[in-house]
Amino acid sequence: MNLLKKSLLTIASFALSVSAIAATDTGIAVDKSNIKNRPTLPDFTVGMCDDAAPTLTKLKDNLYRHTNGSGLAVHSGIVMITDEGALVVDGGATCATEWLSKEIQSRFGVPVKYNVLTHAHADHMAGSQVFQRQGATIVAHENAVEPVIGEKMPYAIPDKVFDEKMTITLGGETVELHHVAPSHSNSMTMVLFPRQKALQCTDVCQNETMPYNDFLDFYYDGWIDTLDWVIAQDVDIIDIGHYTPATKAEQVKLRAYMTDLHRQVLMLERAGQSWDQLYRNIEFSPEVQSWTNFSNMKTLNTLGMHRWVKNHRRGMW
């Protein structure tokens, strides 16, 4: 074999090896032609890094956990590092994503290729515009596009979206995005790292921590369906977007808490109790009473579940 043929074979082999590991995804591109120069509100995360510096710490293997804020206000997400680039889940604050982008580049020498947004709530979408300006592909569930525009969020409109499932291949790693059901929002995305047996289950999952406030933008039935899906996954670490990472055992406890709260509220509502009676008669187990933020959230959780029950039963009329 002459030198020219050997050179051509070497080049072809190299091209095939590069194409085999090149980043690919099954997302659908978003048409942004009709949403240029949209109005936006001020970025509410300005100054959030002044009192608590962002962090990037190892979870396992090539997975890391980024945080910003502290205590009950901490936000977090998983970062996957590969030779081809990084995949970052959420951001939490604009200042935090600016820091995180530089930290990933300085520590690992790679850019952020994908920023996956778990849902269209501003505290998790914040900073996505930083990654987008730097060339990263912003990914979210298809239901996340409208709230970004409608609520005038000063964050990135996703570049790629999906309906039920999307796969991202980056640096030889495969990441699965799943929309199980409307739960903490109707734009919720579960981010599964199958090889590492890790899952990003932001806000839907908890770690002996009370769900936030009065459940806000939530769907009870879908939340339970999503917890059932999480519990069925082969994962040993779950980042919940706040507090500290959890396991499936804590999701079993959370499911029991939510179904019991729903059962009690429905029973008392059917008994004709007014709100002033009802919230005083909800019983919480000793274990739930020991959960983080119980005293602040117990009545708010009851209020949110009461609102759901009131809107999803008709009674005898």
Side-chain angles (χ1 to χ4, degrees), residues 110-129:
V110 297
V112 175
K113 289 285 191 176
Y114 284 93
N115 181 205
V116 178
L117 303 174
T118 56
H119 59 298
H121 289 168
D123 58 324
H124 293 277
M125 298 199 68
S128 55
Q129 78 281 9

mmCIF file of all heavy atoms in Angstrom, residues 110-129:
data_model
loop_
_atom_site.group_PDB
_atom_site.id
_atom_site.type_symbol
_atom_site.label_atom_id
_atom_site.label_comp_id
_atom_site.label_asym_id
_atom_site.label_seq_id
_atom_site.Cartn_x
_atom_site.Cartn_y
_atom_site.Cartn_z
ATOM 1 N N VAL A 110 -12.680 22.491 28.909
ATOM 2 C CA VAL A 110 -13.735 22.243 27.914
ATOM 3 C C VAL A 110 -14.826 23.303 28.050
ATOM 4 O O VAL A 110 -15.038 23.867 29.127
ATOM 5 C CB VAL A 110 -14.358 20.833 28.075
ATOM 6 C CG1 VAL A 110 -13.322 19.759 27.821
ATOM 7 C CG2 VAL A 110 -14.999 20.665 29.448
ATOM 8 N N PRO A 111 -15.550 23.567 26.970
ATOM 9 C CA PRO A 111 -16.665 24.513 27.034
ATOM 10 C C PRO A 111 -17.951 23.818 27.463
ATOM 11 O O PRO A 111 -18.033 22.582 27.481
ATOM 12 C CB PRO A 111 -16.776 24.992 25.581
ATOM 13 C CG PRO A 111 -16.389 23.771 24.795
ATOM 14 C CD PRO A 111 -15.300 23.092 25.595
ATOM 15 N N VAL A 112 -18.963 24.594 27.796
ATOM 16 C CA VAL A 112 -20.293 24.047 28.058
ATOM 17 C C VAL A 112 -20.989 23.875 26.719
ATOM 18 O O VAL A 112 -21.186 24.837 25.978
ATOM 19 C CB VAL A 112 -21.112 24.982 28.973
ATOM 20 C CG1 VAL A 112 -22.543 24.461 29.125
ATOM 21 C CG2 VAL A 112 -20.445 25.109 30.342
ATOM 22 N N LYS A 113 -21.337 22.636 26.401
ATOM 23 C CA LYS A 113 -21.978 22.324 25.123
ATOM 24 C C LYS A 113 -23.500 22.334 25.230
ATOM 25 O O LYS A 113 -24.200 22.715 24.296
ATOM 26 C CB LYS A 113 -21.514 20.958 24.619
ATOM 27 C CG LYS A 113 -20.077 20.915 24.129
ATOM 28 C CD LYS A 113 -19.961 21.585 22.768
ATOM 29 C CE LYS A 113 -18.599 21.309 22.143
ATOM 30 N NZ LYS A 113 -18.507 21.867 20.774
ATOM 31 N N TYR A 114 -24.021 21.841 26.370
ATOM 32 C CA TYR A 114 -25.467 21.785 26.579
ATOM 33 C C TYR A 114 -25.818 22.341 27.952
ATOM 34 O O TYR A 114 -25.118 22.089 28.932
ATOM 35 C CB TYR A 114 -25.982 20.350 26.500
ATOM 36 C CG TYR A 114 -26.077 19.778 25.100
ATOM 37 C CD1 TYR A 114 -25.026 19.043 24.565
ATOM 38 C CD2 TYR A 114 -27.228 19.954 24.328
ATOM 39 C CE1 TYR A 114 -25.109 18.505 23.278
ATOM 40 C CE2 TYR A 114 -27.316 19.418 23.047
ATOM 41 C CZ TYR A 114 -26.262 18.704 22.535
ATOM 42 O OH TYR A 114 -26.355 18.181 21.269
ATOM 43 N N ASN A 115 -26.901 23.101 27.987
ATOM 44 C CA ASN A 115 -27.501 23.536 29.254
ATOM 45 C C ASN A 115 -28.943 23.031 29.246
ATOM 46 O O ASN A 115 -29.779 23.515 28.478
ATOM 47 C CB ASN A 115 -27.459 25.053 29.373
ATOM 48 C CG ASN A 115 -28.047 25.590 30.672
ATOM 49 O OD1 ASN A 115 -28.502 26.732 30.722
ATOM 50 N ND2 ASN A 115 -28.035 24.817 31.734
ATOM 51 N N VAL A 116 -29.207 22.027 30.075
ATOM 52 C CA VAL A 116 -30.540 21.431 30.144
ATOM 53 C C VAL A 116 -31.319 22.096 31.276
ATOM 54 O O VAL A 116 -30.857 22.115 32.422
ATOM 55 C CB VAL A 116 -30.447 19.911 30.381
ATOM 56 C CG1 VAL A 116 -31.846 19.311 30.501
ATOM 57 C CG2 VAL A 116 -29.678 19.242 29.247
ATOM 58 N N LEU A 117 -32.489 22.609 30.963
ATOM 59 C CA LEU A 117 -33.322 23.294 31.948
ATOM 60 C C LEU A 117 -34.402 22.337 32.446
ATOM 61 O O LEU A 117 -35.121 21.743 31.645
ATOM 62 C CB LEU A 117 -33.952 24.542 31.332
ATOM 63 C CG LEU A 117 -32.942 25.535 30.756
ATOM 64 C CD1 LEU A 117 -33.658 26.678 30.044
ATOM 65 C CD2 LEU A 117 -32.037 26.082 31.853
ATOM 66 N N THR A 118 -34.501 22.201 33.751
ATOM 67 C CA THR A 118 -35.431 21.223 34.304
ATOM 68 C C THR A 118 -36.884 21.660 34.196
ATOM 69 O O THR A 118 -37.774 20.816 34.105
ATOM 70 C CB THR A 118 -35.118 20.935 35.790
ATOM 71 O OG1 THR A 118 -35.134 22.170 36.527
ATOM 72 C CG2 THR A 118 -33.758 20.260 35.920
ATOM 73 N N HIS A 119 -37.141 22.969 34.207
ATOM 74 C CA HIS A 119 -38.511 23.461 34.061
ATOM 75 C C HIS A 119 -38.495 24.981 33.945
ATOM 76 O O HIS A 119 -37.483 25.625 34.207
ATOM 77 C CB HIS A 119 -39.403 23.015 35.216
ATOM 78 C CG HIS A 119 -38.967 23.456 36.579
ATOM 79 N ND1 HIS A 119 -37.756 23.085 37.144
ATOM 80 C CD2 HIS A 119 -39.575 24.238 37.513
ATOM 81 C CE1 HIS A 119 -37.650 23.603 38.360
ATOM 82 N NE2 HIS A 119 -38.731 24.323 38.591
ATOM 83 N N ALA A 120 -39.632 25.521 33.554
ATOM 84 C CA ALA A 120 -39.706 26.950 33.235
ATOM 85 C C ALA A 120 -40.078 27.812 34.434
ATOM 86 O O ALA A 120 -40.977 28.652 34.355
ATOM 87 C CB ALA A 120 -40.697 27.181 32.095
ATOM 88 N N HIS A 121 -39.378 27.624 35.548
ATOM 89 C CA HIS A 121 -39.494 28.536 36.684
ATOM 90 C C HIS A 121 -38.222 29.366 36.715
ATOM 91 O O HIS A 121 -37.112 28.834 36.570
ATOM 92 C CB HIS A 121 -39.680 27.770 37.995
ATOM 93 C CG HIS A 121 -41.033 27.120 38.111
ATOM 94 N ND1 HIS A 121 -41.329 26.186 39.075
ATOM 95 C CD2 HIS A 121 -42.166 27.272 37.374
ATOM 96 C CE1 HIS A 121 -42.589 25.794 38.935
ATOM 97 N NE2 HIS A 121 -43.117 26.438 37.917
ATOM 98 N N ALA A 122 -38.376 30.655 36.907
ATOM 99 C CA ALA A 122 -37.267 31.588 36.708
ATOM 100 C C ALA A 122 -36.034 31.270 37.534
ATOM 101 O O ALA A 122 -34.906 31.486 37.081
ATOM 102 C CB ALA A 122 -37.745 33.019 37.012
ATOM 103 N N ASP A 123 -36.216 30.732 38.754
ATOM 104 C CA ASP A 123 -35.059 30.475 39.604
ATOM 105 C C ASP A 123 -34.199 29.329 39.093
ATOM 106 O O ASP A 123 -33.072 29.145 39.565
ATOM 107 C CB ASP A 123 -35.494 30.219 41.056
ATOM 108 C CG ASP A 123 -36.452 29.052 41.206
ATOM 109 O OD1 ASP A 123 -37.285 28.860 40.309
ATOM 110 O OD2 ASP A 123 -36.383 28.346 42.228
ATOM 111 N N HIS A 124 -34.707 28.549 38.147
ATOM 112 C CA HIS A 124 -33.894 27.477 37.557
ATOM 113 C C HIS A 124 -33.457 27.801 36.135
ATOM 114 O O HIS A 124 -32.496 27.224 35.629
ATOM 115 C CB HIS A 124 -34.656 26.154 37.610
ATOM 116 C CG HIS A 124 -34.849 25.662 39.004
ATOM 117 N ND1 HIS A 124 -33.888 24.947 39.684
ATOM 118 C CD2 HIS A 124 -35.874 25.836 39.875
ATOM 119 C CE1 HIS A 124 -34.324 24.670 40.911
ATOM 120 N NE2 HIS A 124 -35.522 25.205 41.051
ATOM 121 N N MET A 125 -34.146 28.726 35.487
ATOM 122 C CA MET A 125 -33.765 29.125 34.134
ATOM 123 C C MET A 125 -32.714 30.231 34.134
ATOM 124 O O MET A 125 -32.040 30.450 33.129
ATOM 125 C CB MET A 125 -34.993 29.598 33.360
ATOM 126 C CG MET A 125 -36.034 28.516 33.180
ATOM 127 S SD MET A 125 -37.176 28.883 31.853
ATOM 128 C CE MET A 125 -36.124 28.745 30.428
ATOM 129 N N ALA A 126 -32.582 30.929 35.249
ATOM 130 C CA ALA A 126 -31.659 32.061 35.328
ATOM 131 C C ALA A 126 -30.241 31.638 34.956
ATOM 132 O O ALA A 126 -29.750 30.609 35.407
ATOM 133 C CB ALA A 126 -31.678 32.655 36.727
ATOM 134 N N GLY A 127 -29.596 32.441 34.125
ATOM 135 C CA GLY A 127 -28.234 32.173 33.706
ATOM 136 C C GLY A 127 -28.128 31.446 32.388
ATOM 137 O O GLY A 127 -27.048 31.384 31.782
ATOM 138 N N SER A 128 -29.241 30.877 31.908
ATOM 139 C CA SER A 128 -29.194 30.146 30.641
ATOM 140 C C SER A 128 -28.779 31.051 29.487
ATOM 141 O O SER A 128 -28.162 30.591 28.518
ATOM 142 C CB SER A 128 -30.555 29.509 30.343
ATOM 143 O OG SER A 128 -31.590 30.482 30.369
ATOM 144 N N GLN A 129 -29.071 32.344 29.615
ATOM 145 C CA GLN A 129 -28.677 33.285 28.554
ATOM 146 C C GLN A 129 -27.164 33.425 28.464
ATOM 147 O O GLN A 129 -26.614 33.700 27.391
ATOM 148 C CB GLN A 129 -29.341 34.658 28.786
ATOM 149 C CG GLN A 129 -28.725 35.536 29.849
ATOM 150 C CD GLN A 129 -29.098 35.152 31.278
ATOM 151 O OE1 GLN A 129 -29.694 34.112 31.523
ATOM 152 N NE2 GLN A 129 -28.760 36.026 32.226
#
